Amino acid sequence: MLESVIIKDFALIEAISLEFERGFTVLSGETGAGKSILIGALSFLLGGKGGAENIRAGAGEASVSGTFFLDSCSRAALEWLDTHGIEPDESRVLLRRFVRSNGRGGAWIQNTPVTRTELAEFSSFLVDIHGQHEHQSLLRVAEHQRYLDAYAGLTEETAAFTVLYAELVNKRRQLDEISVSGAEQERQIELLTFALNEIDEAKLREGEDDELAAEENRLSQFERIFEETDSLSVILTGQENGHTGEPDSVLSALKRAQTLLSQTATIDTVLEPLASRLENVFYEITDIAGEIRAYRQALVFDPVRLESVQERLALLFKLKKKYAASIQSPIAEVIAYGESARCELDKLSHSEQNQDELSETVSLLEKKVYAAAKQLSEKRHAAAEKMSREVESVLSVLGMGGAVFAVSITDKPGSDNGIMQKCGPQGMDDVEFLISANTGSPPKPLVKIASGGELSRVMLALKTILADSDTVGTLIFDEIDTGIGGEVSVSVGAHLQMLSQKRQILCITHVASIAAHADNQIKIEKNSTAETTVTHVSVVSGRQRIEEIARMLSGDSISAASLDHAAALLSKFGR
């Protein structure tokens, strides 16, 4: 249920903070006071359309926030939150939405930002608005089947059918994927076999392309490597090709320096650490010189090996060009392609067997889906007539005695060849509500001919017969009193009061006999100055409520008679 709402700078509303109670709450006020603006703000909060035109003149942003309490009946809402990783706070959830003057806006559920579509989807589990605003499930023909299923107790059975239907769709998709022509299949097998053989024959090893590139680089530059290592050996040791050359080499210079520093350190011991370090450097460079000499002596030019490496690199290049993303890719990509080709070949080689198995599975599922859809359809047809009679019975009490309400159930169209009955995720039926508000007129689609007041009364009738099965906790009725009065308005008030025992009801009304049935009453007023017009909202009770109902009875001039009449109505119909 809706517990509270805060509205800022929305249309004529400057700032409103309201708390709502359980049961039946009436919103009243003079024509043009802004009652529908309040409903419009709630519709905006629930994901309805809204833009910069909703911002109060002179303000830069309009915002609406509301807190909802989720009880044990709010299962669908709680499942939606869990699916989207949003947690209620002590069974409460905060919805927020704003729009700025540049047209940009945002919405949140708790502290999680959501799209307008997501906000509308979630709020549809919480609130249903009926009247002149867009948040009307009766105007969505797709929702009519949901109402019929709820009435017939088929909601869970339909959900189970949807799961079965989804399985059939998935298996059909798999069958389509493997049902290629024989020639195409053979072509694929031939291409994959050739690729796999080519890759297998190469006996590839991860990383070998890098290793071979390094070896090729070394072998192709043998002469340069030999010359440079020979020169380095001369610099370090003074030896060239095994013969003693100039005595002034790095090692001979270091040796003389080490001797001099060691001798000086015997005079001043402060130099001993430096002498030790220089000695270590001498031995380190001596070791390096030995390894360089050994490396140079081991160098052998092998033109046969160079040719072999270059041929292998050429093969890897060709395989990369054919089976990897680019020639710069690692050879691992070619290896991975080979494994993928092996798996695909295995699939294709068993495709006939898999196709037969899938075909049999699809055939069995089609029979199951058809049988389940047929069973659902029979139960819907059985419930439709009874539902029509019950809705008409309630409508007659609500001032639409001549109305005819019908539930149209038609089969979805068959396949092109007319052999197979088509099904959808909810079965084989298309469900739509029809109505004739005038005696003698044939029923026509509800969405095309019903007025706002008629829609509200049809919804009230539906909610009355669905009171035990519907899970939406808050119902908002706007224009429900259009075209009614007298005893009919008393009946409408009584029905709203009865429905409020199981749902939170908010209702805009101009009719005192409806307002008198409410548990709570909110008065909406419009105050104008030379500069601005602002809508104010306040909860009325006691004497103030009597005066407000008296105003609804007699207009602006409240008399003693109207006050007595108002008190009598509250005494008679109030709880």
Side-chain angles (χ1 to χ4, degrees):
M1 62 166 269
L2 175 62
E3 287 191 327
S4 64
V5 65
I6 297 174
I7 306 169
K8 292 183 179 179
D9 295 323
F10 189 95
L12 296 180
I13 298 174
E14 184 176 9
I16 286 176
S17 177
L18 271 177
E19 292 187 357
F20 295 91
E21 302 293 337
R22 293 183 180 274
F24 180 16
T25 298
V26 155
L27 292 84
S28 63
E30 297 179 1
T31 300
K35 300 183 293 297
S36 292
I37 292 176
L38 180 59
I39 300 300
L42 288 172
S43 180
F44 173 76
L45 173 64
L46 299 172
K49 292 180 181 178
E53 68 275 7
N54 296 120
I55 302 173
R56 187 176 65 86
E61 174 182 300
S63 65
V64 185
S65 63
T67 301
F68 290 83
F69 177 77
L70 307 181
D71 57 20
S72 56
C73 295
S74 307
R75 185 174 63 183
L78 291 168
E79 288 176 353
W80 191 97
L81 291 175
D82 183 62
T83 300
H84 291 77
I86 303 173
E87 292 188 6
D89 183 7
E90 296 183 347
S91 299
R92 286 170 173 81
V93 63
L94 174 66
L95 274 58
R96 293 178 290 147
R97 190 178 175 197
F98 76 90
V99 62
R100 295 197 176 107
S101 55
N102 60 8
R104 295 185 179 181
W108 290 263
I109 299 176
Q110 296 291 68
N111 291 321
T112 301
V114 294
T115 64
R116 184 172 78 88
T117 300
E118 289 172 328
L119 183 65
E121 182 182 352
F122 173 67
S123 66
S124 68
F125 301 121
L126 306 177
V127 180
D128 222 340
I129 296 181
H130 311 287
Q132 62 185 354
H133 296 280
E134 62 170 325
H135 203 75
Q136 301 172 26
S137 56
L138 270 183
L139 295 182
R140 299 191 294 272
V141 175
E143 292 291 301
H144 295 182
Q145 175 244 305
R146 182 176 67 84
Y147 281 114
L148 176 59
D149 285 351
Y151 175 79
L154 297 174
T155 301
E156 291 187 4
E157 190 172 332
T158 301
F161 176 86
T162 302
V163 173
L164 182 64
Y165 180 81
E167 185 182 359
L168 172 60
V169 170
N170 183 49
K171 294 298 182 185
R172 277 177 172 167
R173 179 185 56 77
Q174 292 179 26
L175 183 60
D176 289 341
E177 287 177 355
I178 66 172
S179 296
V180 294
S181 68
E184 174 65 16
Q185 185 170 311
E186 287 299 321
R187 190 183 71 84
Q188 289 184 20
I189 290 175
E190 185 178 342
L191 289 173
L192 290 170
T193 301
F194 178 83
L196 186 58
N197 288 339
E198 191 173 28
I199 293 170
D200 282 348
E201 286 174 7
K203 293 183 171 51
L204 303 175
R205 178 172 52 82
E206 281 194 37
E208 72 165 311
D209 48 345
D210 293 332
E211 294 173 9
L212 288 170
E215 186 177 0
E216 194 269 343
N217 187 51
R218 186 171 62 251
L219 289 170
S220 63
Q221 300 194 66
F222 171 82
E223 187 175 344
R224 179 180 172 184
I225 294 172
F226 184 88
E227 289 177 354
E228 291 181 354
T229 53
D230 190 61
S231 296
L232 187 57
S233 181
V234 171
I235 291 169
L236 293 175
T237 65
Q239 294 178 343
E240 183 176 3
N241 296 325
H243 303 289
T244 301
E246 294 293 329
D248 192 14
S249 65
V250 170
L251 282 177
S252 61
L254 278 175
K255 183 61 177 174
R256 291 197 304 273
Q258 183 222 347
T259 302
L260 288 171
L261 188 55
S262 296
Q263 291 173 352
T264 309
T266 60
I267 301 171
D268 188 349
T269 56
V270 172
L271 296 174
E272 285 182 354
L274 291 177
S276 177
R277 288 168 60 188
L278 188 57
E279 184 178 11
N280 291 335
V281 169
F282 172 77
Y283 288 125
E284 179 69 15
I285 293 180
T286 300
D287 188 56
I288 292 171
E291 290 193 23
I292 288 174
R293 185 167 55 253
Y295 173 85
R296 184 200 60 193
Q297 292 172 350
L299 283 175
V300 176
F301 178 62
D302 188 348
V304 175
R305 175 58 184 167
L306 176 59
E307 184 179 358
S308 172
V309 168
Q310 289 174 335
E311 287 177 357
R312 180 68 173 173
L313 282 172
L315 173 62
L316 300 188
F317 177 88
K318 183 179 77 170
L319 293 176
K320 286 182 184 183
K321 194 172 181 181
K322 292 173 71 173
Y323 306 118
S326 72
I327 57 174
Q328 283 78 33
S329 299
I331 200 64
E333 279 194 23
V334 178
I335 296 172
Y337 182 91
E339 292 305 314
S340 174
R342 198 184 310 279
C343 293
E344 189 64 25
L345 266 175
D346 185 61
K347 264 199 226 175
L348 288 172
S349 62
H350 295 87
S351 63
E352 188 173 346
Q353 177 186 346
N354 293 339
Q355 189 172 345
D356 290 342
E357 291 175 357
L358 266 177
S359 294
E360 185 178 349
T361 300
V362 167
S363 180
L364 289 173
L365 281 172
E366 284 176 343
K367 291 176 183 177
K368 283 184 180 180
V369 166
Y370 179 78
K374 192 73 175 174
Q375 190 175 37
L376 266 178
S377 184
E378 289 171 356
K379 291 178 180 179
R380 284 171 180 158
H381 277 87
E385 188 175 346
K386 183 183 176 185
M387 182 182 189
S388 297
R389 289 197 304 269
E390 288 194 31
V391 171
E392 288 174 356
S393 176
V394 177
L395 287 177
S396 67
V397 177
L398 300 179
M400 296 177 67
V404 175
F405 182 86
V407 182
S408 168
I409 304 177
T410 57
D411 290 343
K412 291 184 182 297
S415 59
D416 294 338
N417 57 22
I419 298 173
M420 185 181 295
Q421 169 65 46
K422 279 189 178 177
C423 285
Q426 280 79 43
M428 61 171 58
D429 305 311
D430 286 329
V431 179
E432 183 173 11
F433 295 155
L434 310 178
I435 193 168
S436 169
N438 303 306
T439 304
S441 299
K444 294 182 180 179
L446 178 71
V447 296
K448 292 183 178 179
I449 66 169
S451 66
E454 289 168 342
L455 275 175
S456 293
R457 278 178 278 173
V458 170
M459 178 54 71
L460 179 54
L462 285 171
K463 292 297 181 178
T464 300
I465 67 173
L466 293 173
D468 291 329
S469 57
D470 194 13
T471 59
V472 175
T474 300
L475 307 178
I476 300 176
F477 293 94
D478 188 8
E479 292 189 335
I480 198 169
D481 53 15
T482 301
I484 65 171
E487 289 301 314
V488 173
S489 65
V490 173
S491 296
V492 170
H495 265 83
L496 288 170
Q497 188 183 69
M498 178 182 67
L499 191 57
S500 71
Q501 295 175 19
K502 295 183 178 180
R503 299 286 180 270
Q504 181 189 41
I505 305 294
L506 304 180
C507 176
I508 289 179
T509 186
H510 297 274
V511 180
S513 53
I514 293 178
H517 284 84
D519 302 300
N520 319 288
Q521 187 159 351
I522 295 173
K523 182 180 180 181
I524 302 172
E525 300 174 281
K526 183 169 68 176
N527 296 332
S528 298
T529 66
E531 294 80 20
T532 60
T533 299
V534 178
T535 293
H536 293 287
V537 179
S538 59
V539 177
V540 292
S541 59
R543 179 69 181 180
Q544 287 181 323
R545 187 174 182 198
I546 293 173
E547 291 176 353
E548 174 61 10
I549 291 181
R551 182 201 62 76
M552 297 172 75
L553 286 166
S554 61
D556 292 337
S557 56
I558 299 175
S559 63
S562 63
L563 288 171
D564 290 342
H565 190 185
L569 285 175
L570 284 169
S571 176
K572 182 177 181 179
F573 300 126
R575 288 190 296 198

